[in-house]
Amino acid sequence: MDISVVVPLYNEAESLPELVEWIDRVMRANDFTYEIVMVDDGSTDDSWKVIRTLAERFPAVKGVQFRRNYGKSPALNTGFRAAQGDVVITMDADLQDSPDEIPELYRMITAEGYDLVSGWKKKRYDPLSKTIPTKLFNATARRVSGIDNLHDFNCGLKAYRREVVKHIEVYGDMHRYIPYLAKNAGFGKIGEKVVQHQARKYGVTKFGLDRFVNGYLDLATLWFTGKFGAKPMHFFGLLGSLMFFIGLVAVMIVGFGKLYAMWAGLAYRLVTDSPYFFLALTMMVLGTMLFLTGFLGELIVRNAPGRNHYEIKDSIDHPIKD
């Protein structure tokens, strides 16, 4: 199969018939063998009924229905597990992503050798209240992830080699950072294509401004787990040791200051009367706690089932078995 189109959706019954007909028209015009995997994320409208009807008209349509709303990331992850095409295309169900982009995305994966190609909606039909935070968010994501050539991490229109989607896990709200997940999994050839952004035709957006706050928290999580997930002591142990050392030096300075005043016959006060003494003790306690956190993290990592699981690209003569 050439292409799997994965479509996560929530309450998009009105747009689904037009979307499927549009995808089918593009696929037939380019002689692609394909499937459309529609993942209904617990819709409360007639989305699932529409998907069943479309599956009767179009044999390529497949569907998965969640019992309740879990979010876009679980829907994408489920679609990725089900996809069978050599190239996997993701797009939103609201008709803001154009299926006419599929042939070029497919060519970039198969002919140019990209692992992942992300769409860039350079000209958007969104209010400033959405576009300005989006630009700030993408600038931060580029800086933290090191993927400098992407302008729109959260674009729903993306293309992947099948190996990519089979080797990453999209959970929580991590769909915003699939390029970062792919990079961390060893798929580093990531490209971008300017795509057409169309105004929403039916319904309203399902995302609020809270996604930007959650997006930054998720980015911090990805950065930390990618850098220190397998070696937490390198982060917590270093920071804890540094805080403990600074606190210890401060305590010694306060103590030696009193001893010197006593030896020189100068006026002195109790060590406990100095606020610096308590600040130093606090730093030593926090440093010890951070060090123990790193130690516990190391114990957890060492006992994790996947501690020695590594993504192997190829082997000769000695195949590696799980």
Side-chain angles (χ1 to χ4, degrees):
M1 184 180 295
D2 295 324
I3 298 175
S4 292
V5 181
V6 176
V7 183
L9 62 104
Y10 178 68
N11 290 345
E12 299 286 359
E14 293 175 304
S15 63
L16 294 180
E18 185 174 340
L19 176 65
V20 170
E21 290 170 0
W22 193 353
I23 293 174
D24 179 70
R25 187 165 59 250
V26 171
M27 296 298 187
R28 286 189 288 105
N30 291 272
D31 292 325
F32 289 136
T33 55
Y34 77 101
E35 65 179 356
I36 304 174
V37 182
M38 314 195 87
V39 185
D40 182 358
D41 187 21
S43 295
T44 56
D45 64 357
D46 291 331
S47 291
W48 184 246
K49 185 184 297 184
V50 172
I51 292 172
R52 282 188 170 276
T53 302
L54 290 170
E56 294 175 359
R57 290 179 52 200
F58 300 92
V61 172
K62 302 176 182 179
V64 178
Q65 183 187 32
F66 288 168
R67 290 189 180 275
R68 66 174 179 85
N69 180 250
Y70 288 98
K72 187 173 182 178
S73 290
L76 281 173
N77 197 66
T78 300
F80 288 162
R81 300 286 80 80
Q84 301 178 43
D86 294 333
V87 174
V88 178
I89 308 283
T90 59
M91 62 173 52
D92 295 334
D94 54 13
L95 297 176
Q96 290 188 289
D97 296 331
S98 171
D100 289 333
E101 307 285 355
I102 290 176
E104 179 60 17
L105 290 170
Y106 178 83
R107 189 197 64 80
M108 292 178 72
I109 296 291
T110 57
E112 298 186 25
Y114 284 104
D115 296 316
L116 184 157
V117 178
S118 181
W120 175 21
K121 296 174 181 176
K122 194 172 184 179
K123 182 178 180 182
R124 303 184 66 100
Y125 295 95
D126 291 323
L128 288 177
S129 60
K130 184 176 179 180
T131 55
I132 292 177
T134 296
K135 288 182 180 295
L136 294 174
F137 165 78
N138 284 309
T140 305
R142 282 195 299 273
R143 179 72 174 178
V144 173
S145 68
I147 308 176
D148 300 325
N149 61 317
L150 292 192
H151 294 82
D152 192 355
F153 277 73
N154 199 28
C155 179
L157 187 57
K158 289 183 173 68
Y160 314 79
R161 283 196 301 114
R162 180 170 57 185
E163 291 82 0
V164 176
V165 301
K166 299 300 183 182
H167 287 82
I168 62 173
E169 181 182 6
V170 190
Y171 58 93
D173 286 323
M174 294 298 180
H175 59 273
R176 303 179 182 93
Y177 304 111
I178 290 181
Y180 197 7
L181 291 172
K183 179 185 175 184
N184 287 342
F187 299 99
K189 191 167 183 182
I190 299 172
E192 184 175 67
K193 179 187 183 301
V194 176
V195 297
Q196 180 182 1
H197 181 224
Q198 303 185 128
R200 174 179 277 274
K201 192 172 182 179
Y202 304 104
V204 295
T205 182
K206 310 301 188 299
F207 300 100
L209 290 177
D210 60 331
R211 67 177 181 152
F212 295 108
V213 177
N214 296 335
Y216 280 108
L217 297 176
D218 290 335
L219 182 59
T221 300
L222 263 184
W223 173 83
F224 181 83
T225 55
K227 195 171 182 64
F228 300 105
K231 44 189 177 182
M233 180 59 86
H234 289 197
F235 177 80
F236 292 107
L238 176 62
L239 186 60
S241 298
L242 183 62
M243 290 186 66
F244 184 88
F245 178 74
I246 294 174
L248 179 62
V249 170
V251 167
M252 293 174 65
I253 290 174
V254 173
F256 284 132
K258 177 183 176 181
L259 290 176
Y260 175 78
M262 293 173 64
W263 175 77
L266 302 175
Y268 64 89
R269 59 179 180 175
L270 296 175
V271 170
T272 54
D273 288 340
S274 171
Y276 299 108
F277 174 75
F278 293 101
L279 288 173
L281 282 183
T282 301
M283 289 195 69
M284 292 176 68
V285 170
L286 290 176
T288 303
M289 293 176 66
L290 285 170
F291 187 89
L292 290 175
T293 299
F295 180 71
L296 291 174
E298 286 287 334
L299 291 179
I300 293 171
V301 169
R302 287 176 183 271
N303 288 279
R307 64 189 180 279
N308 280 322
H309 175 73
Y310 311 103
E311 299 295 346
I312 296 173
K313 184 176 182 180
D314 200 359
S315 64
I316 298 176
D317 203 27
H318 293 287
I320 306 297
K321 296 182 179 180
D322 293 334

